[in-house]
Structures are given as structure tokens and as C-alpha cells.
Amino acid sequence: MNRHALQVLEFSDALDLVAEFASSPLGGEAVRALTPSDSRGWVEAELRRVDQMLGFLLRADDFAIPALPDLRAPLRRLNVEGAAWEGPWLRDGAELLRSARETRRALLQHAEHFPLLAEIGRRLLVLEDEEASIRRAIDASGEVKDDASRELKRLRAEIRGLRSRIVEQLERYVASLPDRFRVPDASVSVRDGRYVIPIRREGRSEVGGIVHDESATGATLFVEPPLAIELMNRLRGLEIAEAREVARILLELTDRLRPHRAELVETLSALIELDSLFARGRYALQYNGHRPEILPAGTEEYRVVRGVHPLLLAGGGDVVPFDLEMVEGERTLLVSGPNTGGKTVLLKGIGLISAMAQAGIVPPVGAGTKLPMFRDIYADIGDEQSIEASLSTFSAHLKNLGELLAEADHESLVLVDEMGSGTDPAEGAALAQAILVELTRRSALTVATTHLGQLKALAGVEPGVVNASLQFDAQELRPTYRLVKGIPGRSYGLAIARRLGLPAALLERAEAFLPEEERSAAQLLMELEQKEREMAAALAAAEAARAEAFALRREIEEREHAVRKREREAEARARQQARDLLLAARAEVDAAIREVREAAAAATVTQEALNEAARRARRRVEEAARRQAAKVPVEAPRRARRAARLEAGARVRIVATGATGTLLELRDGRGVVETNGLRIQVPAAGLEALTAAEAAEAARPQPRRGGWSAPEVHARPEVDLRGLRAEEVASALHPALDAAIQADLASLRIIHGKGTGALREVVGELLRADPRVVRIRPGGIGEGGTGVTVAELV
């Protein structure tokens, strides 16, 4: 990739920005080493890995790459047989193994969702025994612990004891010296690794021993007295033995790692790779980047959605994103407009977005971005005047343009700032026009900025050239930085001069000097800009109205859903309450029947007594029905209520039970309804008048049992309870009994299976407790045997 272009685009600064998100210097170094690739396969694979890291960070938001020590040099040392690692290297080696172990576990936990990361995780070496051995022997500062071996512990204990003994003896010896030999505040110190005492020079011959140092004035000597020499020699021997034991321990630990050198190198490489992906994933997460679709080189389609200059975005503040789409046949975008409008920032943003994507970094772009691969990027941006090379600004531009013209083709991205500037406007425009036509005909994707009106007209005569502008607020005279394709921009030079206070007469004279065609073009551009602003405002208003309508529709749908939910709940409550009413009424009927049977069973009972018992039974049923009807809240049905007026003599339906009858009386909001020989008081709101057809249908004779008519039910002569738990039996058995009683079945066959007999026992208990069951028996031959219980009903 063209180094000059990457330097002009400040690509290294963008890499530094991404590298700041790494967990370690090695990871940051790996990010800074990234360069744009021209291999589509590598770029797509790398962006997929970054995308998976981004998803992984969203799922495991507390994940971070653990400590990553730089062991590249020590790992090379493992190639040398007999070479031992130093203590700090072994400490870092244990830290590397811990990082590998924890990272591998974290990645493999989510292998199903992030297979590319799991693939890296499987490259990480796990050596728990070696890691534990190093941690037992080496402390956090990289020193060998006393407990690393028994011998080392013994030697260090002896060394400490001997040192204390030497210091004590030397302190006593100093205290015994005459005052003329002693130095004030004298204390035992160490010189060249040996314990010494300070004495005055005149005491040298008296004290004897070995002089190891003297003071700056020479008046004080640091002497190892004879009494300490032998003890120091013993100490020195112990220290040599200690060093030998430490070296043995270090070599032993190193030798445990040596066979795994290749895997350790791969582990370090994989962790660095992961830290690089971690940095790129965090960068994309921080700046809301979306993985762009990478198109083959030479593809004419180019689309950036909500793109932002990466360095500008990192600087903070409000940044206006740009949308840019180049379709087939459009190869050159000519951006015009005033200075300070952001044209150079746009150029660099376009270049950096492609360079970062081809380096495996998700750039700050929105979803839907499509970028073709570029074999190379060429950029001529900024003032590159060189005094040393005797080049003017114009000459430097020509040098850059000459280089890109020599190499740019249909797989290149060309970025040129201030096309045609730096020389005579007419000549500059002619040269720029020729270069743009050449690049367009080569099908290079070219983005150029200019102030020259002649170039703005190129879009009308050369196929593939498209005008664009960065909007400028003509009222406030400030840039909006919004890219508008298809319309060239004005320079606003005279308008800015007027805003800055130049004399009006002078500005009028300047306008008069403008060629007629330029004044006409400026007027046309002003009108186009006004229409574009009006269209943008209208579009914004339409979008706002659409959003409001969408929100209103969603609110209505939510309300409708809530209403339907309440209706379903009300209907379920009404059904349950109606069932409770039926069960309670049936219990009253059963009790009344038992009363009548008991009265009939008495031999001495008279006909009058039977009639009185029947009347009492009827009253009990009617009273129970009234109590239950009063408890049932009336829910508004989903269909509209019939508008027919309720009046005495009308055929009506009791909403709660579905029973039909004749309304006998209506008073104080309550009605008396006669249905199948029973008179029931029901709230008027719980009644609805029948249509003529419904009344005729209800008047037809219906088979009935006793004096109560229940809503139609679908009863079966058997119920299968197999597979249910004991606590689930009642909820299945009771409805089956209810249906069988209402359908006037003589018996109900309950299938519970043989098994352990638990279900059979529960079924027996429930049936014996139900007064409607006359007798229970096991199934006979052909009925299922002991796997079935038959309940005979009243």
C-alpha cells in the first residue's frame, strides 16, 4: 500500500487510537503493526474475527485479556540446552500460563456462538502442574522462596543466624575500642559484601584486619577486624552454597518448561493475537462501528453509511456523519464548496475508512456499508511545499499526481485535495480536467475537491463524473458538514466578505467583475440549494409524521391487545363462576332428592308430607340459584348487546349460565325468571332478550332430568388418567364426573392403569367423597381389570 498516502491520511495516528484499547503493550504493538492488505480473503476473515470479539464483549462484558508478559527473548533462550531462566522470567512464565488457562476457559465456554475465537483459544497451552510448581518456588518479585527446597531453607536459616552473630560481635567490639579510635555514632555496615566497622585512621595498626573503604576525607577507615574474618569466610561459603542451590532450582523449573517451548511460543502469539482483536473489538464497541461488507476489487459499487473521520470522532464534540454512495458508472466524485466546509476532512475520512477496513479494523461506519477492495490508495492532500527539494506547492502536487497517474487503475482509490489550485486558474482548471477525465476513464474511484467553476461543469459532459457539495448555511455563514451528492457547492467568497464587513460598494464592484456565466451559475446553485433545503425540511417533516403515526399505531395495537386480554380473563372468570353455580345448585338438588327419598322411604308418610318435602326441596334449589346468580359479576360480551327491551312475559337468556326462560317480573333492576319449573332472581343486566327464532327454538320440548336444565355438555363414558401425577387427578376427574352427571350417564369408567396403585388409591378416595357416586368397583373382564375403576352414578 502506498506509504505516502498512509502518511498523508494519518493512518499511524488511527492505529495509535485503536492500540489504546489493548490490555498489554504487546497487544498495542500488534495493532500498530497492522497494514492494509490487498487480499480480500484475509480482510474478510479478520473483520469476522473482530466482529465475533465485539459480540463476545457484549455477552461477557467483564472479560479482559489477563496479564501478558513479554517473554519473546526468554523463549528463544529455551533453545539453549542447560540455559536457565532467571527468577523474574519464571514468574512471568507462570503468569503467561495463568493467562492462557483463564482465557482458554472463557473462550471455550462460548465456543458455539464464537467459533473463530474458540479456535484461537484451543491454541493456548495449559500446564497447571508447571504453573503451580513455579508459583510455589518463585515469589511476586521474582525471587526464589525459602521453601523452594529443604536445602535452600536450611542454608538461608544458617546465613541469617550467622549474619546476626557477626553483627552482634562487631557491635560489641566497636563498643570496646578506646574513644580515640572510635567514630561518633559508629555502626556496623557492609562494604564489598563484607561486614565492616568505621574507625579513625590512627587506630589502623591497633585494630588490624582488612581495610575495605575509607571516607572522602580519609580520616575514617572501614575495617573488617580479624575476629570477623573467619566468620565472614564461613558466611561467604554459605552464600555460595545458597547461590548454587538457587541456580539448581531455576534450572529445574526451566527444564520443566523447555519441552514445551514451541507451544509456549504459540501461546504467547495467540494471546497477542487475541489482545489485538480485543483492542479492535473495544474500539468498534466504543465508536459504534459496524462490520462493512467487503466487495471484490474493481467493483464499481461503493457505499458508506454514517461514516465519520476516526480521528475527528476520537477528539470528542459533535461530529456530523456522512453518507456516500457511488453506483455503477459513477467513478469520480467532485466535491466543491467554501473553505472550512470540511472537504479535506471528508477526503481523509474516506481514505482512512478503507485503509482501516483493509487492515482488519472495523471502522466507525453504520450498518449497510459496502467497501470494494483497493489494490492501492493514492492521496494528494495538503500543502507539501519542500524548500529542501526546491519544490513549490504546485510542483509538489504535480509530483504526486504524476506518480498516481503512472500507477492508478480500476482497483485504486484516488484522493485529491484542491484540484487545479496553486497556479493560473485557467491552466490549473484545464490540467485538473484532463487528469480527472483520465482517472475516470481508467475507472479509478476518485474523490477530488475544488473551488474551480470550470471543473464543476465537468459532470455534465464527462460520463462517470458526479458533483457533490458539503452544505453551507447561507444565513449563518457557517458549514453544516452534510454531504449532498448531485449538487455542486458555491464558494461563498463574496458573502463571507460581506459578513466580515467589507464596504458594500467594493463588493458590488466585485460582483460586476464576475463573468455573466458565473453569476448565472451562482444564481442557479443558490436556487438549487434552496430547493434542496426545502425538500430536506419536507422529508424531515414526513419522517416525523411517519414516526408519529407508527407510534400511534403501536399504541392502538397495545391497547387492543390489553382489551382482548381483559376480555379473555373476564370470559374465563364468568365460565368458572357459572361452573361453580352449577355445582352448587347440583349439590342442592342432590340434597333435595335425598330428602324426598328419605320421606318416601318412611312407611307412614302421607301424600301431603311428600308434597311439602318436594316444595321445601324446590325452595332450597331456588334460594341456592338466587345466591349464586347474585355472586356472578356481569361481564360485557364482546358482541353488542341486543337492543330489545326487557319486559314481563319476554323470553330471555341468563347470560351467566346460558339457560333460557320467561321473564315474570322486572323490579328495582332485578328480574324473576322461570326456567324449567324454577323461579330465579337475576340482575337485569345479566339478562338478554331472545330473538323470535331463538324463542321458538327454546320453546321446543327438550329432554330433561329433574327440575334443572344445564347448558349443553359433551360427556364421555370414560376418562383416561394415565400419565398424570397424583395431585393432577382431581382437576381431570371432577370435570369428567360433572359432564357425566349432566349427560345422565349411569356410570363413568376411570382408566388409571395398574402401576404402583397410587393413582387407583387417589381415584378411590375422590369417588368415595363425592355424594353423586353410588358405588365404585374395579373393572370386570373386558373392562380393563384392576387398571380401571367404574363409578356408578345417581
Side-chain angles (χ1 to χ4, degrees), residues 235 449 756:
L235 178 63
T449 67
T756 62

Side-chain angles (χ1 to χ4, degrees), residues 10-11 13-23 31 34 47 50-51 53-55 57 274-292 307-315 349 352-353 355-357 360-365:
E10 301 172 279
F11 180 68
D13 292 343
L15 291 180
D16 287 340
L17 175 62
V18 180
E20 291 176 2
F21 290 90
S23 289
V31 171
L34 292 170
L47 290 179
V50 176
D51 199 39
M53 177 60 78
L54 192 156
L57 293 176
L274 274 171
D275 199 12
S276 171
L277 292 172
F278 178 70
R280 286 177 274 167
R282 289 181 63 200
Y283 171 79
L285 198 60
Q286 175 70 25
Y287 295 111
N288 197 28
H290 291 74
R291 177 165 64 98
V308 182
H309 189 296
L311 300 179
L312 192 64
L313 182 63
L352 268 180
I353 285 171
M356 291 174 73
I361 300 171
V362 173
V365 295

Side-chain angles (χ1 to χ4, degrees), residues 293-513:
E293 181 182 348
I294 302 300
L295 306 176
T299 302
E300 293 194 350
E301 184 180 4
Y302 178 92
R303 185 185 184 199
V304 173
V305 178
R306 298 189 64 77
V308 182
H309 189 296
L311 300 179
L312 192 64
L313 182 63
D318 294 332
V319 180
V320 180
F322 68 90
D323 295 318
L324 174 59
E325 183 173 14
M326 302 287 281
V327 299
E328 187 174 355
E330 297 177 344
R331 301 310 295 154
T332 297
L333 186 74
L334 197 57
V335 184
S336 51
N339 287 327
T340 72
K343 298 190 298 297
T344 303
V345 171
L346 173 67
L347 279 186
K348 289 187 175 183
I350 290 172
L352 268 180
I353 285 171
S354 285
M356 291 174 73
Q358 290 187 212
I361 300 171
V362 173
V365 295
T369 297
K370 298 180 180 182
L371 302 175
M373 287 289 297
F374 294 114
R375 179 182 53 80
D376 215 335
I377 298 176
Y378 301 93
D380 179 43
I381 300 174
D383 186 356
E384 298 190 51
Q385 182 178 12
S386 173
I387 297 175
E388 183 179 348
S390 300
L391 291 177
S392 67
T393 300
F394 182 66
S395 299
H397 284 313
L398 287 181
K399 179 175 179 294
N400 293 333
L401 292 171
E403 290 177 356
L404 69 88
L405 283 170
E407 300 178 7
D409 59 14
H410 67 290
E411 297 182 357
S412 302
L413 173 63
V414 178
L415 307 168
V416 184
D417 195 19
E418 298 296 346
M419 197 76 172
S421 62
T423 186
D424 176 76
E427 291 187 355
L431 180 61
Q433 185 170 345
I435 293 172
L436 289 175
V437 168
E438 176 65 21
L439 291 172
T440 303
R441 293 178 180 177
R442 290 187 191 181
S443 291
L445 181 58
T446 304
V447 183
T449 67
T450 187
H451 286 289
L452 301 177
Q454 185 176 341
L455 290 183
K456 299 175 188 178
L458 185 61
V461 296
E462 179 66 26
V465 179
V466 183
N467 274 318
S469 62
L470 282 164
Q471 273 197 338
F472 194 82
D473 191 328
Q475 304 299 323
E476 298 293 332
L477 292 181
R478 60 180 179 82
T480 66
Y481 303 109
R482 194 168 76 85
L483 180 66
V484 180
K485 182 182 168 187
I487 301 177
R490 293 188 288 153
S491 295
Y492 290 93
L494 294 178
I496 294 173
R498 182 175 289 106
R499 178 68 178 271
L500 295 176
L502 268 67
L506 184 145
L507 294 174
E508 290 175 3
R509 189 178 302 116
E511 288 175 349
F513 287 149

Side-chain angles (χ1 to χ4, degrees), residues 511-522:
E511 288 175 349
F513 287 149
L514 285 173
E516 178 63 30
E517 59 272 15
E518 288 196 21
R519 288 202 297 272
S520 300

Side-chain angles (χ1 to χ4, degrees), residues 439-732:
L439 291 172
T440 303
R441 293 178 180 177
R442 290 187 191 181
S443 291
L445 181 58
T446 304
V447 183
T449 67
T450 187
H451 286 289
L452 301 177
Q454 185 176 341
L455 290 183
K456 299 175 188 178
L458 185 61
V461 296
E462 179 66 26
V465 179
V466 183
N467 274 318
S469 62
L470 282 164
Q471 273 197 338
F472 194 82
D473 191 328
Q475 304 299 323
E476 298 293 332
L477 292 181
R478 60 180 179 82
T480 66
Y481 303 109
R482 194 168 76 85
L483 180 66
V484 180
K485 182 182 168 187
I487 301 177
R490 293 188 288 153
S491 295
Y492 290 93
L494 294 178
I496 294 173
R498 182 175 289 106
R499 178 68 178 271
L500 295 176
L502 268 67
L506 184 145
L507 294 174
E508 290 175 3
R509 189 178 302 116
E511 288 175 349
F513 287 149
L514 285 173
E516 178 63 30
E517 59 272 15
E518 288 196 21
R519 288 202 297 272
S520 300
Q523 180 63 29
L524 178 60
L525 287 177
M526 184 172 65
E527 293 174 0
L528 284 173
E529 288 175 3
Q530 178 62 27
K531 290 186 179 297
E532 198 277 334
R533 282 194 295 272
E534 292 173 356
M535 289 179 61
L539 180 60
E543 284 294 328
R546 177 178 175 274
E548 183 179 355
F550 179 77
L552 183 60
R553 176 183 172 186
R554 184 170 56 186
E555 182 181 353
I556 291 172
E557 289 175 348
E558 290 174 354
R559 288 185 179 181
E560 182 181 3
H561 175 73
V563 168
R564 288 180 177 175
K565 182 179 178 183
R566 286 197 297 271
E567 287 179 349
R568 287 194 297 270
E569 292 173 351
E571 184 178 352
R573 285 196 302 271
R575 288 180 181 276
Q576 182 61 38
Q577 289 161 350
R579 180 177 179 276
D580 294 342
L581 185 151
L582 290 173
L583 293 177
R586 186 175 303 114
E588 293 293 338
V589 170
D590 292 339
I593 290 173
R594 279 197 301 273
E595 269 188 45
V596 174
R597 283 179 175 173
E598 289 169 0
T604 59
V605 71
T606 65
Q607 183 62 40
E608 181 61 29
L610 284 175
N611 292 338
E612 179 59 28
R615 284 194 295 272
R616 285 199 308 272
R618 187 177 294 109
R619 282 197 299 272
R620 288 184 61 179
V621 173
E622 290 174 353
E623 181 60 30
R626 280 196 297 270
R627 288 197 304 269
Q628 292 299 327
K631 293 178 182 179
V632 178
V634 179
E635 301 285 350
R638 293 172 64 179
R639 63 181 182 275
R641 295 283 188 182
R642 291 190 177 89
R645 184 175 180 181
L646 295 174
E647 55 186 13
R651 295 290 292 173
V652 296
R653 176 184 290 109
I654 302 173
V655 176
T657 66
T660 60
T662 302
L663 179 61
L664 301 179
E665 184 181 359
L666 187 64
R667 183 192 309 164
D668 298 330
R670 301 183 68 82
V672 178
V673 179
E674 182 176 9
T675 173
N676 293 325
L678 294 176
R679 293 188 178 186
I680 303 173
Q681 283 194 9
V682 182
L687 299 173
E688 62 179 8
L690 299 181
T691 63
E694 290 174 331
E697 177 66 22
R700 291 193 338 196
Q702 299 290 334
R704 59 181 181 170
R705 180 172 176 262
W708 174 257
S709 174
E712 181 182 357
V713 295
H714 299 282
R716 293 173 55 85
E718 65 182 24
V719 58
D720 191 346
L721 306 180
R722 288 175 296 183
L724 298 182
R725 296 193 297 271
E727 59 269 21
E728 297 173 335
V729 169
S731 61

